[in-house]
Amino acid sequence: MCGIIVVAGGQEVAESLLDGLRRLEYRGYDSAGVAMAVEGGLWRARAADGTDSLELLGMLVSAAPYQARSGIGHTRWATHGPPTEPNAHPHFDCRAQVAVVHNGIVENHRELRAELVAAGHVFASETDTEVLAHLLEQERDASKDLVASVRRVIAKVLGAFALAFIDSREPEVVVVARRTSPLVIGRSASASWAASDIPALIGRADEIFVLGDDEIGKLRPEGFEVWGPSGQRVHPGAIDVDWDATAAGKEGFDTFMLKEIHEQPAAVADTLRGRLSRTGALLTHAKQGSLYGHELPPPPRKAGEEEQGEPERVLLDGVSPDLLDGVRSVFLVGCGSAYHACMAARYGLERWVRLPVEVEIASELRARDPVLDDATLLVAVSQSGETMDTLQALQAAARRGARTLAVTNVVGSSLSRDADGVLYTRAGQEVGVAATKTFLAQLVALDLLALRMAGDHAMLAAEEEERLIAVVGGLPELVRAALERGDEIESVAEKLSGSKDFFFLGRHVGYPVALEGALKLKEIAYLRAEGFAAGELKHGPIALIRPGSIVVGVATRNPLWPKMMSNVAEVKARGATVVLVAEDGDLETQEQADHVLGVPAVAEPLFSPVVDAIPLQLLAYWLSRLAGHDVDRPRNLAKTVTVE
Ligand code: M6R
């Protein structure tokens, strides 16, 4: 959602702010602004021109005649008040001595605004955020201490926030604070930084630190200090960030999304890296010199090692034996694509671990009264680790005594810090709003979790465990093979371009893949795309099928393939154009399709979503491009959804 960038010091405050805002573009925005402490006061520029706001803001800022000492920048995703210039951040107090940017929601803004108006403050916007500037104005009248004043301001605020203030009386200082909404601090030789997200600081800051809940940071050119909720000094440790600045570039691809789709073999290999103790398939790739530049996993184990007390075959850093020991049920939660990954994971967990598994949309969990206890493992899946609904689901489960595990792509994210254990997906930074490589990495991480738990529970015969591990280890190469069909999929998209009604069908593990395919098409191609469990077709949706309907079926050979093919026959009989995800060489399936999306066969059907999702990503991609849409920044969507 909204993005914040902050810099105190350095020679190029304005340029640094604009660069940071561009790197936060993926969070989505409809307006943008900066405020800087310059000679004689605060200078501000704001633009409310939808996704062109940053371009306009850049022109406004380049015309500014000032040398700034510090500054704050913001991309806004409208919540309180429409996306207009007066509602764009930063907001000033009555005297333009204080400016604030804010991500989150001030839940008691109406009450605070009424009190401030009664005290004579004049508001210039409809936002909840503006109360923060006026509250600081009030506090500063009573105190010379900026940090203490900010502490009193946030004590009055209910809700979630990451915020940054500048004050013309201390032009080299920026004060930041957060509760629930994310904020990271960075340090370089001549400046201090803060941002909503790590990518904005890559290549700028030498070290990155996470600001904790209700902590306040004071940033100056020569460094920063942090205080906890009761005013005690806090010394956060720098976190490991292994993303490099080149990850933020398109590297020859037209779009971030296409680049990220093609990074999937590496994302899957990285998610597996070092986690399989018997990885014949990965070693085979290494022999072919194609392990994507990553270190080799440990060598295969010899027969009989298990009985001699060797480590488990799936090794999950961040997931302690205590966390899994004695677990009697598993609850998987996530939103959007992460929820689909949870759905796909259920099949393996049930089959191999033989535990009850529930899957729920994170935002729905709070509406329920789920039965959770200390033998329940709540697995919260989120690429960003900042999705508010998923965070709240995890926190609610923890309050009920459940054990919690985060599956996330962002080191140091809120979810990773709140959970009892963390399984990182290691897909690298994903800029495109539509989840692609992070989705595949989630599928793989959850498969690893299932195999690890199956090993712990001794549920699998040794040969079967060995077979599954070999298949999972071979997934990077299958993902690479699936990507080689890119051109074929582009030509199928050309034939379907202009169609309006899409239906995605799947059964068994193909069902979540169908839902994910439909979601991709909706979000980037703006096409009506409904995903169904194919068995449900006859219970209603088949009424929608008519000549001209496009039915995309996931028809790889999972256990319900014969029934899936009966459903395909039903829609064909009603005039639909049938597009099938089918295995290479499976002529029986391919013959039933008007258009084939070919994929390599996966020797274990429960892992097939990792491969079957790829042609659907590419189909959505090309249908979007052919319609002229911006695939990286689809309308109305944000990369990270930090509001409920
Ligand atoms: O960061 P998260 O994984 O928690 O995000 C969850 C969803 O918002 C996300 O998957 C969303 O549905 C994507 N736009 C899907 O492409």
Side-chain angles (χ1 to χ4, degrees), residues 335-338 381-387 390 433-435 442 516 519-520 523 637-641:
C335 305
S337 297
V381 183
S382 166
Q383 83 74 28
S384 62
E386 303 294 350
T387 298
T390 311
V433 165
Q442 287 167 353
E516 177 64 8
L519 177 64
K520 290 279 97 64
E523 63 182 341
L637 291 177
K639 182 70 182 164
T640 308
V641 184

Side-chain angles (χ1 to χ4, degrees), residues 175-216:
V175 176
V176 296
R178 73 166 283 242
R179 182 184 300 152
T180 310
S181 301
L183 200 73
V184 293
I185 293 177
R187 186 161 63 193
S188 63
S190 60
S192 296
W193 307 78
S196 311
D197 220 340
I198 294 168
L201 302 187
I202 303 279
R204 293 271 182 189
D206 302 325
E207 286 184 304
I208 292 179
F209 308 80
V210 174
L211 190 69
D213 254 355
D214 282 304
E215 289 179 354
I216 298 180

Side-chain angles (χ1 to χ4, degrees), residues 372-529:
L372 304 170
D373 59 23
D374 63 3
T376 308
L377 178 69
L378 184 293
V379 183
V381 183
S382 166
Q383 83 74 28
S384 62
E386 303 294 350
T387 298
M388 181 67 81
D389 290 321
T390 311
L391 261 176
Q392 291 192 343
L394 179 130
Q395 289 160 355
R399 283 195 296 276
R400 287 165 179 254
R403 308 162 192 208
T404 56
L405 174 66
V407 176
T408 181
N409 199 41
V410 179
V411 176
S413 56
S414 301
L415 200 70
S416 73
R417 284 178 289 120
D418 282 1
D420 300 325
V422 192
L423 180 52
Y424 285 113
T425 44
R426 302 183 187 155
Q429 183 189 354
E430 188 174 71
V431 175
V433 165
T436 53
K437 63 176 180 171
T438 56
F439 173 67
L440 254 61
Q442 287 167 353
L443 293 171
V444 170
L446 292 168
D447 285 336
L448 288 176
L449 178 67
L451 292 176
R452 157 78 191 270
M453 292 181 76
D456 288 358
H457 288 241
M459 295 306 296
L460 293 172
E463 308 75 52
E464 176 64 353
E465 190 177 6
E466 196 170 306
R467 184 187 75 83
L468 292 172
I469 285 176
V471 178
V472 87
L475 286 173
E477 206 52 47
L478 295 180
V479 170
R480 180 185 292 279
L483 284 168
E484 281 165 9
R485 321 293 156 78
D487 292 348
E488 292 163 34
I489 295 165
E490 185 181 353
S491 80
V492 172
E494 278 163 6
K495 292 180 187 113
L496 300 180
S497 185
S499 305
K500 298 282 180 240
D501 272 347
F502 286 78
F503 301 88
F504 286 72
L505 302 182
R507 279 179 177 258
H508 196 261
V509 279
Y511 170 40
V513 175
L515 293 182
E516 177 64 8
L519 177 64
K520 290 279 97 64
L521 199 58
K522 281 183 249 212
E523 63 182 341
I524 61 169
Y526 314 146
L527 288 167
R528 192 191 310 256

Side-chain angles (χ1 to χ4, degrees), residues 170-412:
E170 297 187 44
E172 294 206 318
V173 172
V174 184
V175 176
V176 296
R178 73 166 283 242
R179 182 184 300 152
T180 310
S181 301
L183 200 73
V184 293
I185 293 177
R187 186 161 63 193
S188 63
S190 60
S192 296
W193 307 78
S196 311
D197 220 340
I198 294 168
L201 302 187
I202 303 279
R204 293 271 182 189
D206 302 325
E207 286 184 304
I208 292 179
F209 308 80
V210 174
L211 190 69
D213 254 355
D214 282 304
E215 289 179 354
I216 298 180
K218 181 178 184 179
L219 277 51
R220 287 173 293 112
E222 57 277 14
F224 70 90
E225 297 160 284
V226 175
W227 292 268
S230 42
Q232 78 280 21
R233 274 296 301 276
V234 174
H235 300 279
I239 59 169
D240 277 345
V241 178
D242 58 4
W243 299 348
D244 59 28
T246 58
K250 291 182 191 155
E251 291 170 4
F253 288 94
D254 286 347
T255 62
F256 282 110
M257 184 176 171
L258 194 59
K259 170 185 162 240
E260 286 157 3
I261 287 173
H262 283 273
E263 286 171 343
Q264 293 184 117
V268 170
D270 277 352
T271 301
L272 293 172
R273 178 162 43 96
R275 288 169 169 166
L276 300 180
S277 62
R278 188 180 185 86
T279 50
L282 278 176
L283 287 171
T284 306
H285 305 154
K287 276 186 216 134
Q288 296 164 354
S290 62
L291 198 65
Y292 322 110
H294 299 299
E295 70 194 49
L296 292 178
R301 297 180 344 155
K302 297 186 187 74
E305 279 183 346
E306 191 174 28
E307 291 77 359
Q308 292 158 22
E310 285 290 304
E312 306 94 319
R313 287 172 170 186
V314 174
L315 312 161
L316 298 183
D317 43 308
V319 184
S320 71
D322 287 353
L323 184 63
L324 303 182
D325 191 27
V327 165
R328 287 198 292 276
S329 65
V330 180
F331 216 116
L332 300 162
V333 293
C335 305
S337 297
Y339 170 68
H340 298 152
C342 292
M343 288 178 71
R346 170 169 36 198
Y347 296 87
L349 280 161
E350 285 176 347
R351 165 79 67 83
W352 300 320
V353 193
R354 304 303 304 148
L355 287 178
V357 180
E358 263 217 64
V359 180
E360 181 58 284
I361 295 169
S363 56
E364 285 296 314
L365 189 67
R366 62 190 327 184
R368 296 179 43 186
D369 193 6
V371 181
L372 304 170
D373 59 23
D374 63 3
T376 308
L377 178 69
L378 184 293
V379 183
V381 183
S382 166
Q383 83 74 28
S384 62
E386 303 294 350
T387 298
M388 181 67 81
D389 290 321
T390 311
L391 261 176
Q392 291 192 343
L394 179 130
Q395 289 160 355
R399 283 195 296 276
R400 287 165 179 254
R403 308 162 192 208
T404 56
L405 174 66
V407 176
T408 181
N409 199 41
V410 179
V411 176

Side-chain angles (χ1 to χ4, degrees), residues 108 202 456 563 600 612:
N108 55 337
I202 303 279
D456 288 358
K563 293 183 189 303
D612 294 355

